[in-house]
Amino acid sequence: MDGLNRRGALKAGGILGAAGALTLVAPTVRAQPWTWSPQGSVAGSGSGVDPMTVWDPEADQLVAGLIDRGDVPRVNELLRTWTTNGQALPAGLPSDLRDFMEYARRLPQWADQAALTTAIEFNKKRGLYLGVLYGFASGMMSTVIPREARSVYYSKGGHDLKDRISKTAKLGYDIGSNNAYAADGEMVVTCVKTRLVHAAVRHLLPQSPHWVQSADESIPISQNDIMVTWHSLPTTVMKHLTNWKVPIPHHESEAFLHSWQVAAHLLGVRDEYIPKSWPDANSQSAQVLDPILAATPEGAKLADRLLGLGANIDFAILSKPVLGAFTRFLLGDKIADGLAIPREPVWDPLLQVAWGPFIAVREGLLSAVPPMSDPYWLLDEFLRKAALTYLAELRLPISIELPTMNRDMSQPPR
C-alpha cells in the first residue's frame, strides 16, 4: 500500500457525493433506446426489458409497508446490531422483512470464491489509486449523473452530506477489505441495507414536491439508475487505471470486476443487466452512462460542498482549487465547466504534463524521475493525502438506516 494504511485509503472509496448553482437543467433520458444484449450479462440471457422500466418490486412493496406501518424506527434500532455477513438476523424483525433479508443476503450461485480472494490482492496493491479514484472520479461523477444528483439532493441524505458520504464511503471500504464477502466481513450487510434504503427512497421521493418538480421520472432509482452508478465505480476506475498505464495482470482485473458483479447482485440488480466481462461493461457504460453526464443545479451544489470538504483537514495541498483541478483532469473540461469549477493556471497544466511520467515512475516503468522533482513530490503528496481526505468523514461505527422522510428544504444543509 505504498506506506499508506489501506483502511485509510479505502475509506475515501465509494463516495457518491456531493457547487455554485447553475441555470442549466440537462436532459437525463437515455440518448437511444435500450439495445444492450442480455447475452453479455452474467446470466447469459434475459428478457431484454429496458432497465429504466424495472425497479425492485420485492423490496419496494416490503419497505413501503414498513414505512406506512410505522415499523421503520424499530427496524433501524434492531438492524444496528447486524454488522457482519455471517451473523444471524436480530430477533424481533417483522417476519416479512426477515424472510426477504434471508433471501437477499445469499451470494449468487455464480459467485467465484477464488476470484473474490484474488480481488483482495488487487485491492491491497492498488488501494492508494482506488481511494483517489472512488473519491474524485466516481464521487464527483455522481454529481453530474442528473437523476442521482436529484435523488441525493432532495432525499434525507441531501441535508447532512457528511453523514451521507460516510455511509456511501462504507461501500468502497467494505468491498476492498480482506474479508469483504466472508462471514466476518461486512459487504453483504452493507449491500442488503443499501438495497432497503433504495426501496425507501423510491417510496418517499415521489411525495416530495421539490423532487417531483425537477425530476424526469415518476419513480427514482430504477435498475438502469443503479447500473449507471455502478459504472461510475468499477468501470470508470478501470478506465482510468488503463489510461494511466498501470500494469494490472489479467486475472486481477477480472477478479476486481467479479467483486463488483457480486455487489450489483446483492444490491438487487437482475443478473441479466450485470455485465459478464470488461468489454461488455464498457459497451453498456457507453450506452447508459456516457451520454447522460451533465450538470444540474442540484448536482452543482453538491459538487461545491464535496470539493469544500478538503478544508476540514489541515493539508494545504488539498485546497479547493487543487481538488477542482484534479476533478477537471479526471472528468474533462465539459463536466468541470458545467460544475463551475475554475481553471487553475498552475495545477491544470501540471496534471496534464506530469501525471503520466509520475505514474510511470511510481510503477517502475521509468528508472529515474524526469526533470521535475518538485512537481513529482507535489503529485505524490497529493495522491497520498487525497486518499485520506474523507478519513474524518468515515465515522465508525456507521449504521446504514432506512429514512422515514425526505429532506426538509426549509432547513439549511449541514
Side-chain angles (χ1 to χ4, degrees), residues 207-237:
Q207 303 173 38
S208 164
H210 304 282
W211 180 80
V212 169
Q213 270 189 335
S214 67
D216 65 347
E217 57 189 339
S218 57
I219 304 172
I221 318 180
S222 68
Q223 297 261 307
N224 182 85
D225 294 333
I226 296 174
M227 287 310 298
V228 167
T229 297
W230 188 91
H231 285 297
S232 76
L233 290 155
T235 310
T236 297
V237 164

Short mmCIF file of all heavy atoms in Angstrom, two decimals, residues 207-237:
data_model
loop_
_atom_site.label_atom_id
_atom_site.label_comp_id
_atom_site.label_asym_id
_atom_site.label_seq_id
_atom_site.Cartn_x
_atom_site.Cartn_y
_atom_site.Cartn_z
N GLN A 207 -43.18 11.67 -2.99
CA GLN A 207 -44.00 12.50 -2.12
C GLN A 207 -43.40 13.90 -1.91
O GLN A 207 -44.00 14.74 -1.25
CB GLN A 207 -44.18 11.81 -0.76
CG GLN A 207 -44.79 10.43 -0.85
CD GLN A 207 -44.80 9.71 0.50
OE1 GLN A 207 -45.02 10.33 1.55
NE2 GLN A 207 -44.55 8.41 0.48
N SER A 208 -42.20 14.13 -2.47
CA SER A 208 -41.53 15.43 -2.34
C SER A 208 -41.92 16.32 -3.51
O SER A 208 -41.57 16.02 -4.66
CB SER A 208 -40.01 15.25 -2.31
OG SER A 208 -39.36 16.49 -2.55
N PRO A 209 -42.60 17.43 -3.28
CA PRO A 209 -42.95 18.32 -4.40
C PRO A 209 -41.72 18.90 -5.08
O PRO A 209 -41.74 19.19 -6.28
CB PRO A 209 -43.81 19.40 -3.74
CG PRO A 209 -43.45 19.36 -2.28
CD PRO A 209 -43.10 17.93 -1.99
N HIS A 210 -40.63 19.07 -4.31
CA HIS A 210 -39.40 19.62 -4.88
C HIS A 210 -38.80 18.63 -5.88
O HIS A 210 -38.38 19.01 -6.98
CB HIS A 210 -38.40 19.93 -3.77
CG HIS A 210 -38.92 20.87 -2.73
ND1 HIS A 210 -39.00 22.22 -2.93
CD2 HIS A 210 -39.42 20.63 -1.48
CE1 HIS A 210 -39.51 22.80 -1.85
NE2 HIS A 210 -39.78 21.85 -0.96
N TRP A 211 -38.75 17.35 -5.50
CA TRP A 211 -38.22 16.34 -6.42
C TRP A 211 -39.13 16.17 -7.63
O TRP A 211 -38.66 16.10 -8.77
CB TRP A 211 -38.06 15.00 -5.68
CG TRP A 211 -37.51 13.92 -6.58
CD1 TRP A 211 -36.21 13.72 -6.93
CD2 TRP A 211 -38.27 12.91 -7.27
NE1 TRP A 211 -36.09 12.65 -7.78
CE2 TRP A 211 -37.35 12.13 -8.01
CE3 TRP A 211 -39.62 12.58 -7.32
CZ2 TRP A 211 -37.75 11.04 -8.79
CZ3 TRP A 211 -40.03 11.50 -8.09
CH2 TRP A 211 -39.09 10.75 -8.82
N VAL A 212 -40.42 16.13 -7.39
CA VAL A 212 -41.38 15.95 -8.49
C VAL A 212 -41.23 17.06 -9.52
O VAL A 212 -41.30 16.82 -10.73
CB VAL A 212 -42.82 15.89 -7.94
CG1 VAL A 212 -43.83 15.96 -9.08
CG2 VAL A 212 -43.02 14.62 -7.13
N GLN A 213 -41.02 18.30 -9.05
CA GLN A 213 -40.88 19.45 -9.96
C GLN A 213 -39.65 19.32 -10.85
O GLN A 213 -39.65 19.76 -11.99
CB GLN A 213 -40.79 20.74 -9.16
CG GLN A 213 -42.14 21.39 -8.89
CD GLN A 213 -41.95 22.78 -8.29
OE1 GLN A 213 -40.93 23.08 -7.66
NE2 GLN A 213 -42.94 23.63 -8.45
N SER A 214 -38.58 18.72 -10.32
CA SER A 214 -37.31 18.70 -11.05
C SER A 214 -37.06 17.40 -11.80
O SER A 214 -36.28 17.38 -12.75
CB SER A 214 -36.15 18.94 -10.08
OG SER A 214 -36.02 17.83 -9.19
N ALA A 215 -37.71 16.33 -11.40
CA ALA A 215 -37.39 15.01 -11.94
C ALA A 215 -38.03 14.77 -13.29
O ALA A 215 -39.08 15.33 -13.62
CB ALA A 215 -37.83 13.93 -10.95
N ASP A 216 -37.39 13.91 -14.08
CA ASP A 216 -37.95 13.50 -15.36
C ASP A 216 -38.46 12.05 -15.29
O ASP A 216 -38.61 11.39 -16.30
CB ASP A 216 -36.92 13.63 -16.47
CG ASP A 216 -35.74 12.68 -16.30
OD1 ASP A 216 -35.59 12.10 -15.20
OD2 ASP A 216 -34.96 12.51 -17.26
N GLU A 217 -38.69 11.57 -14.08
CA GLU A 217 -39.16 10.21 -13.86
C GLU A 217 -40.18 10.23 -12.73
O GLU A 217 -40.20 11.15 -11.91
CB GLU A 217 -37.98 9.29 -13.50
CG GLU A 217 -37.20 9.79 -12.28
CD GLU A 217 -35.92 9.03 -12.02
OE1 GLU A 217 -35.79 7.89 -12.49
OE2 GLU A 217 -35.04 9.58 -11.32
N SER A 218 -41.02 9.23 -12.68
CA SER A 218 -42.03 9.17 -11.63
C SER A 218 -41.57 8.38 -10.43
O SER A 218 -42.07 8.57 -9.32
CB SER A 218 -43.33 8.57 -12.18
OG SER A 218 -43.10 7.28 -12.71
N ILE A 219 -40.62 7.46 -10.62
CA ILE A 219 -40.07 6.65 -9.54
C ILE A 219 -38.56 6.68 -9.68
O ILE A 219 -38.03 6.40 -10.77
CB ILE A 219 -40.57 5.20 -9.60
CG1 ILE A 219 -42.10 5.14 -9.58
CG2 ILE A 219 -40.01 4.38 -8.43
CD1 ILE A 219 -42.66 3.75 -9.82
N PRO A 220 -37.82 6.99 -8.62
CA PRO A 220 -36.36 7.06 -8.74
C PRO A 220 -35.70 5.69 -8.62
O PRO A 220 -36.33 4.69 -8.25
CB PRO A 220 -35.97 7.95 -7.56
CG PRO A 220 -37.01 7.66 -6.53
CD PRO A 220 -38.30 7.42 -7.29
N ILE A 221 -34.42 5.66 -8.89
CA ILE A 221 -33.54 4.50 -8.66
C ILE A 221 -34.05 3.25 -9.35
O ILE A 221 -34.32 2.22 -8.73
CB ILE A 221 -33.29 4.25 -7.15
CG1 ILE A 221 -33.05 5.55 -6.39
CG2 ILE A 221 -32.07 3.33 -6.98
CD1 ILE A 221 -32.80 5.38 -4.90
N SER A 222 -34.19 3.33 -10.66
CA SER A 222 -34.51 2.14 -11.45
C SER A 222 -33.28 1.24 -11.54
O SER A 222 -32.18 1.60 -11.12
CB SER A 222 -34.95 2.55 -12.86
OG SER A 222 -33.85 3.11 -13.56
N GLN A 223 -33.46 0.04 -12.12
CA GLN A 223 -32.32 -0.84 -12.35
C GLN A 223 -31.30 -0.15 -13.25
O GLN A 223 -30.09 -0.30 -13.06
CB GLN A 223 -32.79 -2.14 -12.98
CG GLN A 223 -33.74 -2.97 -12.12
CD GLN A 223 -33.06 -4.09 -11.38
OE1 GLN A 223 -32.36 -4.91 -11.97
NE2 GLN A 223 -33.26 -4.15 -10.08
N ASN A 224 -31.77 0.63 -14.20
CA ASN A 224 -30.86 1.40 -15.05
C ASN A 224 -30.06 2.40 -14.22
O ASN A 224 -28.84 2.54 -14.39
CB ASN A 224 -31.65 2.14 -16.12
CG ASN A 224 -30.77 2.91 -17.08
OD1 ASN A 224 -30.26 2.38 -18.06
ND2 ASN A 224 -30.57 4.21 -16.80
N ASP A 225 -30.73 3.10 -13.30
CA ASP A 225 -30.05 4.09 -12.48
C ASP A 225 -28.96 3.44 -11.62
O ASP A 225 -27.88 4.01 -11.43
CB ASP A 225 -31.04 4.83 -11.57
CG ASP A 225 -32.04 5.66 -12.36
OD1 ASP A 225 -31.69 6.10 -13.47
OD2 ASP A 225 -33.16 5.86 -11.87
N ILE A 226 -29.26 2.27 -11.07
CA ILE A 226 -28.27 1.58 -10.24
C ILE A 226 -27.05 1.20 -11.07
O ILE A 226 -25.90 1.37 -10.65
CB ILE A 226 -28.88 0.34 -9.57
CG1 ILE A 226 -29.98 0.74 -8.60
CG2 ILE A 226 -27.79 -0.45 -8.82
CD1 ILE A 226 -30.74 -0.43 -8.01
N MET A 227 -27.29 0.71 -12.30
CA MET A 227 -26.16 0.34 -13.14
C MET A 227 -25.38 1.55 -13.64
O MET A 227 -24.17 1.47 -13.84
CB MET A 227 -26.64 -0.52 -14.32
CG MET A 227 -27.03 -1.94 -13.92
SD MET A 227 -25.78 -2.80 -12.92
CE MET A 227 -24.38 -2.84 -14.04
N VAL A 228 -26.05 2.68 -13.82
CA VAL A 228 -25.33 3.91 -14.16
C VAL A 228 -24.34 4.23 -13.04
O VAL A 228 -23.15 4.51 -13.28
CB VAL A 228 -26.30 5.08 -14.38
CG1 VAL A 228 -25.56 6.41 -14.40
CG2 VAL A 228 -27.06 4.90 -15.70
N THR A 229 -24.81 4.20 -11.80
CA THR A 229 -23.93 4.45 -10.66
C THR A 229 -22.84 3.38 -10.58
O THR A 229 -21.68 3.68 -10.29
CB THR A 229 -24.74 4.49 -9.36
OG1 THR A 229 -25.65 5.58 -9.42
CG2 THR A 229 -23.83 4.65 -8.16
N TRP A 230 -23.21 2.14 -10.82
CA TRP A 230 -22.23 1.04 -10.80
C TRP A 230 -21.10 1.32 -11.78
O TRP A 230 -19.92 1.16 -11.45
CB TRP A 230 -22.96 -0.26 -11.17
CG TRP A 230 -22.18 -1.52 -11.03
CD1 TRP A 230 -22.11 -2.34 -9.93
CD2 TRP A 230 -21.39 -2.17 -12.05
NE1 TRP A 230 -21.31 -3.44 -10.20
CE2 TRP A 230 -20.86 -3.36 -11.49
CE3 TRP A 230 -21.07 -1.85 -13.37
CZ2 TRP A 230 -20.04 -4.23 -12.21
CZ3 TRP A 230 -20.26 -2.72 -14.09
CH2 TRP A 230 -19.74 -3.89 -13.51
N HIS A 231 -21.43 1.78 -12.98
CA HIS A 231 -20.39 2.07 -13.97
C HIS A 231 -19.53 3.26 -13.56
O HIS A 231 -18.37 3.35 -13.99
CB HIS A 231 -21.02 2.32 -15.34
CG HIS A 231 -21.50 1.08 -16.01
ND1 HIS A 231 -20.67 0.05 -16.39
CD2 HIS A 231 -22.76 0.67 -16.37
CE1 HIS A 231 -21.36 -0.92 -16.95
NE2 HIS A 231 -22.64 -0.57 -16.94
N SER A 232 -20.07 4.16 -12.75
CA SER A 232 -19.25 5.26 -12.26
C SER A 232 -18.20 4.78 -11.27
O SER A 232 -17.27 5.52 -10.94
CB SER A 232 -20.13 6.34 -11.61
OG SER A 232 -20.58 5.94 -10.32
N LEU A 233 -18.33 3.55 -10.82
CA LEU A 233 -17.37 2.97 -9.88
C LEU A 233 -16.39 2.03 -10.60
O LEU A 233 -15.39 2.51 -11.11
CB LEU A 233 -18.13 2.30 -8.73
CG LEU A 233 -18.84 3.32 -7.81
CD1 LEU A 233 -20.04 2.70 -7.10
CD2 LEU A 233 -17.85 3.87 -6.79
N PRO A 234 -16.63 0.72 -10.69
CA PRO A 234 -15.57 -0.13 -11.25
C PRO A 234 -15.21 0.16 -12.70
O PRO A 234 -14.02 0.15 -13.06
CB PRO A 234 -16.15 -1.55 -11.10
CG PRO A 234 -17.62 -1.38 -11.04
CD PRO A 234 -17.80 -0.08 -10.30
N THR A 235 -16.19 0.42 -13.55
CA THR A 235 -15.89 0.65 -14.96
C THR A 235 -15.06 1.91 -15.13
O THR A 235 -14.06 1.93 -15.87
CB THR A 235 -17.19 0.76 -15.79
OG1 THR A 235 -18.03 -0.37 -15.48
CG2 THR A 235 -16.89 0.77 -17.26
N THR A 236 -15.45 2.98 -14.44
CA THR A 236 -14.70 4.23 -14.53
C THR A 236 -13.31 4.09 -13.93
O THR A 236 -12.32 4.58 -14.49
CB THR A 236 -15.48 5.35 -13.81
OG1 THR A 236 -16.73 5.55 -14.49
CG2 THR A 236 -14.69 6.65 -13.78
N VAL A 237 -13.21 3.42 -12.80
CA VAL A 237 -11.91 3.22 -12.16
C VAL A 237 -10.97 2.46 -13.09
O VAL A 237 -9.80 2.84 -13.29
CB VAL A 237 -12.08 2.47 -10.82
CG1 VAL A 237 -10.75 1.91 -10.33
CG2 VAL A 237 -12.66 3.40 -9.77
#
